Amino acid sequence: MQAIQALYQQHATVVYRFSLGLCGDKHLANDLVAETFVRAMMSSSPIGMETVQGYLCTIARRLYLKEWYRHQRHTELEDVYRDMAPGPEQSLMAARELQHTLAALQQLPEIDRAAVLMRAEDEVPYEDIARALGISLSSAKVKVFRARLKLLQITKEAS
């Protein structure tokens, strides 16, 4: 154990600089250094190089290449498949807005409410709105216009 500690103390800086030069990432370089010394410690075969430093750098390089090849197999996911569903905050805000709008609609006279709902929701032509409500075409247009203004006024007052 003391031999590995001495080996680490003596060569860790060199292996770190070498690893950092290979990968350019401090965190990955630290991981490579740690794994290099673990591999050196666990190796049952004697060092097959003239220098310990060369041996350790060879281990670090092989570990780096293994990591590099592993990383090359991965492809980044494109952000083209975003979840278009509203999040919880937007859902809550939409629900509150709907409640306020429904409450504002209830404050309108029934005929105005019917006219604005037909026009807004189904885009019913004004001629059909006039026929359905038994009023003239110009009255249908005026009712929709005034109902929208009244809804806008009510919702502004509520906020």
Side-chain angles (χ1 to χ4, degrees):
M1 190 66 170
Q2 289 178 345
I4 290 294
Q5 284 179 338
L7 190 67
Y8 183 84
Q9 299 263 332
Q10 190 174 7
H11 299 286
T13 305
V14 172
V15 175
Y16 174 77
R17 276 193 235 132
F18 176 73
S19 298
L20 184 60
L22 286 176
C23 66
D25 178 1
K26 293 188 285 188
H27 300 292
L28 180 56
N30 280 326
D31 290 346
L32 291 172
V33 170
E35 186 66 23
T36 296
F37 282 94
V38 167
R39 297 275 174 105
M41 182 177 73
M42 301 302 265
S43 176
S44 59
S45 61
I47 295 174
M49 303 186 117
E50 289 184 28
T51 65
V52 173
Q53 206 168 2
Y55 176 70
L56 293 172
C57 287
T58 301
I59 294 172
R61 181 175 176 271
R62 287 182 181 157
L63 289 169
Y64 165 72
L65 289 174
K66 183 178 177 183
E67 178 66 24
W68 186 79
Y69 286 125
R70 186 185 68 77
H71 184 69
Q72 292 302 310
R73 290 191 316 249
H74 296 270
T75 57
E76 296 247 351
L77 292 177
E78 293 181 26
D79 208 11
V80 294
Y81 301 108
R82 293 185 198 148
D83 186 9
M84 300 310 282
E89 186 175 317
Q90 287 109 350
S91 296
L92 179 63
M93 290 178 68
R96 286 183 180 165
E97 187 177 332
L98 178 63
Q99 287 174 341
H100 291 300
T101 304
L102 290 174
L105 276 169
Q106 295 304 310
Q107 294 179 29
L108 296 176
E110 187 277 328
I111 194 165
D112 293 353
R113 187 170 53 239
V116 78
L117 285 173
M118 281 192 274
R119 184 66 187 166
E121 204 160 302
D122 299 322
E123 295 185 17
V124 175
Y126 286 109
E127 294 84 9
D128 292 345
I129 294 172
R131 259 185 253 120
L133 298 177
I135 56 177
S136 69
L137 176 62
S138 59
S139 291
K141 290 179 180 180
V142 169
K143 286 207 174 288
V144 170
F145 178 76
R146 287 185 180 162
R148 286 180 177 164
L149 285 178
K150 184 70 174 170
L151 281 174
L152 185 62
Q153 178 186 6
I154 293 170
T155 54
K156 281 187 178 181
E157 289 172 0
S159 2

